[in-house]
Amino acid sequence: MYLYETKVGATILHNTTYYHALPIGLAELHQARLRELKGGGAYVRVRNHPLPLTKIASLYIDTFLTLIAAVFLLLPFCYIPGTLAMFWVRERELHVKHVHFVSGVTPLQYWLVALVYDILCVAVIDTCFVIILILYGNDEFIGTPGRSWATYFLVFSYGVSAVSLSLLLSSLFKSATGAQIGISAFHFISGFVLLLFSSILESIPSTYDFAEFMKQAVFRMLPPFVLGEGLINLSVVALFEEVLGETISPWDWKVLGRPLAYMYSSAALYFLLVLALDSKSDMRAFYRYLFGSSASSPPAPAPAGVGGGGPRSFEMATLPQRPGARAVAAAGAAGSEDEDVAEERRLVRAYLREQEAKGAGAEAGAAIAIESLRKVYPPMAVDS
């Protein structure tokens, strides 16, 4: 809406999207003044035929509307990573991830499958997004085949980097609902809010350099911010082509080249951090296996009869039985133990006796036996 103040002291509130609103309002105003001066029979007849907008003026208006649409397109994309990450938090909450790792799945296999599955889900969403743009006929994003593919790869790259970041952030949450809300809020702030904040800082001459520094150092490592920057760059390509009179490729470094480079590099960094967080215990064990208990001092030689004595040999020790061992033995004597467990225990003990009789040591493939290893589950309420 717009307030038009006339010289006679009247204010006309009109809708600027209707071209005839202001002339009609002015005609009614002058007709009222004329009737006040000449009598009730006077009237004013108005004919209005607005001139068509020039191509540049029309393009300015379309670009402005597309810029607003590009900013608000960030809102639905902020909820995608949080929705996908909640399933992996749920697996950790229900100890499904623990079962995978105990069963022999490595952190690389687990998180690589999680990343590929989430990327496939994002690819389906991105395809639907581009189809909707084609149906609405948004020329700034899908006006040419090159722009259509550029738009698709931009949102797809955002999906790859945002999924990697959400997998990293999922380790901060203990519940799936909390992860969905927290990660979605993080992407909203780092995308929609920071994009507006950066635009305001760039419009002020005294803070322009600070805004550029923050974009280079922090903001462009956040996938939602880079997505918004890429959409804005893509939306003004048609205007620049008309003004400059030259063809601008959407894959240019200043259009989508830089956003794509930032998103894929940040995706690789976030995924490596995810693997490092889940593999740190395995890396420490492997380090001790290769170099012993300390890298600065050589490992102590193994006792006589254990075999090898090198840094790769393991020492077998006999530990006193804990109460759990007596409970297992009592369960076996009472006949309440599972027959598969009892058979496995019998085979292991027979193997150990056979190795001991042969006098074989660690270098000959001696096994490590852990007695009375139990997994105690916390009490859970069961609905009757």
Side-chain angles (χ1 to χ4, degrees):
M1 307 299 288
Y2 180 76
L3 296 177
Y4 179 82
E5 297 182 0
T6 65
K7 293 183 179 181
V8 296
T11 300
I12 300 176
L13 184 64
H14 65 284
N15 186 358
T16 57
T17 60
Y18 181 53
Y19 295 112
H20 305 288
L22 184 59
I24 291 175
L26 289 173
E28 292 294 329
L29 174 64
H30 289 94
Q31 181 171 280
R33 298 290 293 173
L34 182 62
R35 288 179 179 179
E36 180 182 358
L37 297 174
K38 298 295 183 178
Y43 66 93
V44 175
R45 179 175 296 173
V46 177
R47 290 182 176 88
N48 182 49
H49 186 74
L51 295 175
L53 294 175
T54 62
K55 187 175 182 180
I56 295 294
S58 178
L59 197 56
Y60 268 114
I61 295 175
D62 293 341
T63 303
F64 177 74
L65 296 177
T66 305
L67 283 173
I68 298 177
V71 173
F72 281 94
L73 278 176
L74 291 175
L75 295 178
F77 281 99
C78 292
Y79 294 96
I80 298 174
T83 303
L84 295 176
M86 64 179 296
F87 295 103
W88 309 114
V89 178
R90 185 64 173 169
E91 282 199 355
R92 190 177 70 246
E93 185 181 0
L94 298 177
H95 303 289
V96 177
K97 175 184 172 184
H98 174 69
V99 172
H100 284 313
F101 283 4
V102 170
S103 302
V105 177
T106 63
L108 176 61
Q109 294 171 340
Y110 179 84
W111 289 115
L112 189 61
V113 169
L115 181 66
V116 172
Y117 176 79
D118 287 348
I119 289 176
L120 291 177
C121 294
V122 168
V124 175
I125 298 174
D126 296 339
T127 303
C128 297
F129 169 73
V130 174
I131 291 175
I132 292 174
L133 291 180
I134 294 175
L135 294 177
Y136 274 88
N138 194 311
D139 293 337
E140 282 73 17
F141 292 131
I142 47 90
T144 62
R147 291 181 199 167
S148 301
W149 283 109
T151 303
Y152 179 81
F153 277 105
L154 176 65
V155 293
F156 178 78
S157 303
Y158 163 76
V160 174
S161 57
V163 163
S164 300
L165 178 58
S166 64
L167 292 179
L168 179 63
L169 295 176
S170 65
S171 60
L172 302 176
F173 299 92
K174 295 183 179 180
S175 66
T177 54
Q180 183 182 24
I181 297 173
I183 294 176
S184 299
F186 176 83
H187 282 78
F188 172 77
I189 294 173
S190 62
F192 185 81
V193 176
L194 283 186
L195 193 64
L196 295 180
F197 177 71
S198 175
S199 301
I200 293 173
L201 291 181
E202 287 181 333
S203 63
I204 303 174
S206 59
T207 58
Y208 178 82
D209 293 336
F210 174 73
E212 286 296 317
F213 171 76
M214 292 300 295
K215 285 170 62 175
Q216 295 288 343
V218 180
F219 294 166
R220 283 180 177 149
M221 293 302 295
L222 303 173
F225 181 87
V226 183
L227 173 64
E229 189 178 36
L231 290 174
I232 291 176
N233 294 343
L234 196 60
S235 63
V236 298
V237 167
L239 177 61
F240 286 165
E241 287 181 343
E242 185 65 29
V243 173
L244 299 178
E246 59 184 25
T247 301
I248 301 177
S249 172
W251 308 104
D252 189 81
W253 175 256
K254 293 184 178 180
V255 183
L256 291 187
R258 180 167 51 194
L260 293 179
Y262 269 100
M263 282 195 283
Y264 280 111
S265 59
S266 62
L269 174 63
Y270 295 142
F271 188 69
L272 290 177
L273 290 176
V274 170
L275 294 179
L277 287 177
D278 248 343
S279 305
K280 56 184 180 181
S281 59
D282 296 336
M283 292 171 65
R284 287 198 299 265
F286 183 70
Y287 184 82
R288 288 195 301 267
Y289 174 70
L290 288 179
F291 304 105
S293 58
S294 174
S296 58
S297 60
V306 176
R312 296 175 182 265
S313 62
F314 293 90
E315 180 180 353
M316 298 184 63
T318 303
L319 299 179
Q321 281 196 341
R322 296 182 178 272
R326 294 192 294 269
V328 171
S336 59
E337 188 179 28
D338 188 86
E339 58 181 9
D340 294 333
V341 176
E343 179 64 18
E344 184 67 22
R345 181 182 296 107
R346 187 190 65 78
L347 292 175
V348 170
R349 289 177 176 174
Y351 174 76
L352 292 176
R353 285 194 299 269
E354 180 183 354
Q355 293 292 320
E356 184 179 358
K358 291 180 179 180
E363 296 294 336
I368 297 176
I370 303 176
E371 291 198 32
S372 306
L373 178 65
R374 298 182 300 155
K375 181 173 180 61
V376 180
Y377 293 89
M380 299 179 62
V382 180
D383 296 333
S384 57

